[in-house]
Amino acid sequence: MTDRARLEHLLPFLGWPRHWGGGGLRGDVIAGLTVALVMIPQSLAYAKLAGLPPQVGLYAALLPAVVAALFGSCGQLSTGPVALSGLLVGASILPLAGGDPTRALALALLLALLSGLIQLALGVLRLGWLLNLLSVPVLMGFVNAAALIICLTQIPPLFGVSMAQTGPLVLDFAHLLIDGRMLHVPSAAFGLGALAALVLFKRFAPRVPSVPLVVASATALSAWLGFEANGGEVIGHIPQSLPALSLPPLQPDLAMTLMPAAFVVAMVSFMEAASSAKLISGRTRQAWDQDQELIGQGMGKIAAAFTSGMPVSASFSRSALNYASNARTGLSSVVTAGLILLTLLYLTPLLWHLPKPALAAVILQAVGGLLDLKVLRRAWRTNRDDGAGAAVTFAATLAFAPNIQNGIFTGLILTLALMVYRGMRPRVALLGLHADGSYRDLQRFGLPHPHPQLVVLRFDSALSFVTAAPFEDGMLRAARAQPDVRIVLVSAAGINDIDATGLYTLAGLMERFHAQGQSIAFCGLKKQVIDAMERDGLWARIAEQARYRSEQQAITALVKTLAAGSPA
């Protein structure tokens, strides 16, 4: 790697100018302006979803978005407030804030700092692979449940009704339906009208910037009809200024309380960013770096913590819009932030009459794309363990709501448990000669053993402390598979690793087989397994019976040994 390449790896924005030829610069500018029109109403809506003042969403779309773009690896990602992170932030801070808006904002800043530091540390230490421990079915179970929860929280404001928060969200929503509270007709008209317009635009005119158009129309109608004077809720005053520098409350006890939530925000928000980056890089054929993206997203969150923002992430919908608008580099995010800056300085008075039911409609339309129950059904059909993991995570997230971070922890623990459980059940098969010349599962294909005194066993897993017991059981069954078995040949191509427990088990089996007048042979052993055996001293004892490369080579030699009547 050249010095220039190393520098661009550390500072990805230095490579932007290479992509600006052939209309690339123009594409970035147009994409940035287009995304800004969507970012402004979404930022207001997602700040509201997190229980924070609306301007916090706009602040989070300024410097945090620019920092994430400067140090991220995928130029088309659009970072800022997103629905899923907004819900997680609200679930994490509101129970601790006690109804105090100032304390809620302070907690949001601390949550942004902690989650950003977690992502930054994982990226710097090249530990991004740890986030892959959460399986896709479990993640989709959580995302679907979270999307449903967001919908439940936004239906009351869509109709101008307040919902008490006294316990589990599902029960609170059920009580609201049972109470039959009267809806506010003007609010319902604005909310349902905005939602219908957004759905129709998406269905029949997907290229039209429906979100800014609908929000602008609703704001104009609200001002003209006197929606606020008739009891409707509007955004109201938004400070016409830049965000003030902020300092999160650096209290150890508070940090420890928020640390689990910070881990969930870091994990889930990066999963959303990674899914967008993978999709876009697959289409552009430009590589993206998981660890570098963790650094960019983490630094974006840290920037939010010190500029009165909230935890940010890469939005799937805005990133897709960025890519569709021909963005090539992170300059598009800088342009987006520039337009939001102008809005904060000069245009916030125009947002006073924006109806909150219209913002609820924006949220509902955005999270509708997250609901995908087909993924859960497909996971169940493919693998019952994965299906069970997705279903349990989905149910746990709903049950714990509004504390949905407990749902993702349930899914994570379940993922690790299922991984260990599957690891403890490796495939062990006895082999016979198939008509196609290969050695295959004799039980499945109804094949005979290759020789009355020889059994072939295939083990498809690493031989470790997790799988040593199943390997031992399989070997003992193989030794009894025929009345006169003298040799068990292990087809070891599937054994890609061996640890101390595996070596100990193997040595014990060799002694046991020898005492029974039997022996063990190997074929297809891999280099790393042989190296471990050599370090342990076991290789010197088995080398003569373990140098075979294929089943056929081993069987031919071993059958001659059996015919000669000598020990294998």
Side-chain angles (χ1 to χ4, degrees), residues 478-489:
R480 301 188 300 269
Q482 298 189 94
D484 301 316
V485 175
R486 291 186 57 196
I487 302 174
V488 174
L489 172 64

Side-chain angles (χ1 to χ4, degrees), residues 213-272:
L213 185 60
V214 169
V215 168
S217 301
T219 305
L221 277 174
S222 170
W224 182 49
L225 297 175
F227 175 66
E228 184 182 11
N230 290 317
E233 290 192 60
V234 296
I235 285 294
H237 175 67
I238 296 177
Q240 197 171 351
S241 63
L242 293 175
L245 292 178
S246 55
L247 182 66
L250 303 177
Q251 302 172 14
D253 56 337
L254 202 55
M256 291 303 297
T257 301
L258 282 178
M259 188 58 73
F263 176 75
V264 172
V265 170
M267 178 170 56
V268 173
S269 65
F270 185 70
M271 291 294 187
E272 190 169 8

Side-chain angles (χ1 to χ4, degrees), residues 50-53 93-108:
L52 298 170
I93 67 173
L94 294 182
L96 301 175
D100 183 353
T102 302
R103 180 170 172 79
L105 178 57
L107 291 169

Side-chain angles (χ1 to χ4, degrees), residues 237-568:
H237 175 67
I238 296 177
Q240 197 171 351
S241 63
L242 293 175
L245 292 178
S246 55
L247 182 66
L250 303 177
Q251 302 172 14
D253 56 337
L254 202 55
M256 291 303 297
T257 301
L258 282 178
M259 188 58 73
F263 176 75
V264 172
V265 170
M267 178 170 56
V268 173
S269 65
F270 185 70
M271 291 294 187
E272 190 169 8
S275 63
S276 299
K278 288 177 183 177
L279 180 63
I280 292 171
S281 64
R283 293 180 178 177
T284 61
R285 298 185 179 180
Q286 295 176 351
W288 76 287
D289 187 319
Q290 175 175 264
D291 294 307
Q292 186 62 44
E293 200 58 56
L294 270 169
I295 292 173
Q297 292 292 314
M299 292 182 69
K301 288 180 174 64
I302 294 171
F306 294 101
T307 56
S308 303
M310 58 183 284
V312 294
S313 180
S315 163
F316 189 86
S317 60
R318 292 197 304 267
S319 298
L321 177 61
N322 213 17
Y323 167 74
S325 302
N326 296 319
R328 294 188 183 178
T329 71
L331 178 65
S332 60
S333 294
V334 177
V335 173
T336 297
L339 189 56
I340 292 174
L341 176 63
L342 292 176
T343 301
L344 271 169
L345 292 177
Y346 303 109
L347 303 179
T348 54
L350 299 178
L351 298 172
W352 179 291
H353 292 284
L354 172 55
K356 289 188 177 180
L359 286 182
V362 170
I363 295 174
L364 285 169
Q365 190 269 340
V367 301
L370 297 177
L371 285 169
D372 186 8
L373 298 179
K374 292 180 181 179
V375 173
L376 306 185
R377 290 197 297 268
R378 188 162 60 247
W380 180 261
R381 288 196 303 267
T382 302
N383 186 293
R384 292 300 170 90
D385 290 347
D386 285 338
V392 169
T393 305
F394 181 86
T397 304
L398 286 178
F400 283 119
N403 300 311
I404 63 171
Q405 61 270 21
N406 294 333
I408 199 70
F409 279 126
T410 301
L412 181 59
I413 293 170
L414 188 60
T415 296
L416 298 177
L418 289 173
M419 183 176 67
V420 173
Y421 175 68
R422 283 194 290 262
M424 295 177 68
R425 299 169 61 205
R427 179 167 172 74
V428 182
L430 300 182
L431 306 184
L433 183 60
H434 193 271
D436 62 7
S438 63
Y439 283 85
R440 308 182 72 174
D441 188 334
L442 58 80
Q443 183 177 7
R444 179 176 181 181
F445 295 99
L447 305 173
H449 288 283
H451 188 274
Q453 295 180 310
L454 177 66
V455 171
V456 184
L457 177 140
R458 186 179 67 209
F459 189 72
D460 295 332
S461 174
L463 185 49
S464 66
F465 72 97
V466 176
T467 61
F471 177 76
E472 184 175 20
D473 291 342
M475 290 292 289
L476 295 177
R477 286 198 304 271
R480 301 188 300 269
Q482 298 189 94
D484 301 316
V485 175
R486 291 186 57 196
I487 302 174
V488 174
L489 172 64
V490 180
S491 178
I495 303 176
N496 54 23
D497 195 16
I498 189 169
D499 67 2
T501 304
L503 291 167
Y504 178 83
T505 301
L506 192 54
L509 283 169
M510 291 177 63
E511 293 176 3
R512 182 169 179 174
F513 271 51
H514 180 73
Q516 298 171 174
Q518 298 173 314
S519 62
I520 302 173
F522 297 86
C523 68
L525 280 173
K526 294 183 175 178
K527 179 182 181 301
Q528 62 267 31
V529 177
I530 295 174
D531 290 344
M533 290 179 173
E534 288 177 339
R535 291 191 297 270
D536 182 68
L538 183 63
W539 180 250
R541 298 168 55 188
I542 69 170
E544 292 303 318
Q545 295 86 25
R547 298 185 185 277
Y548 308 113
R549 300 315 307 155
S550 66
E551 293 92 352
Q552 189 58 58
Q553 181 192 17
I555 290 170
T556 301
L558 294 172
V559 167
K560 290 180 181 179
T561 302
L562 291 169
S566 59

Side-chain angles (χ1 to χ4, degrees), residues 2-21 28 66-75 292 328-331 334:
T2 65
D3 292 340
R4 176 70 182 181
R6 289 193 189 94
L7 190 59
E8 287 187 8
H9 183 74
L10 293 174
L11 305 172
F13 58 88
L14 294 178
W16 290 359
R18 290 202 314 271
H19 301 279
W20 288 341
D28 277 349
V66 173
V67 169
L70 289 173
F71 293 95
S73 65
C74 182
Q292 186 62 44
R328 294 188 183 178
T329 71
L331 178 65
V334 177

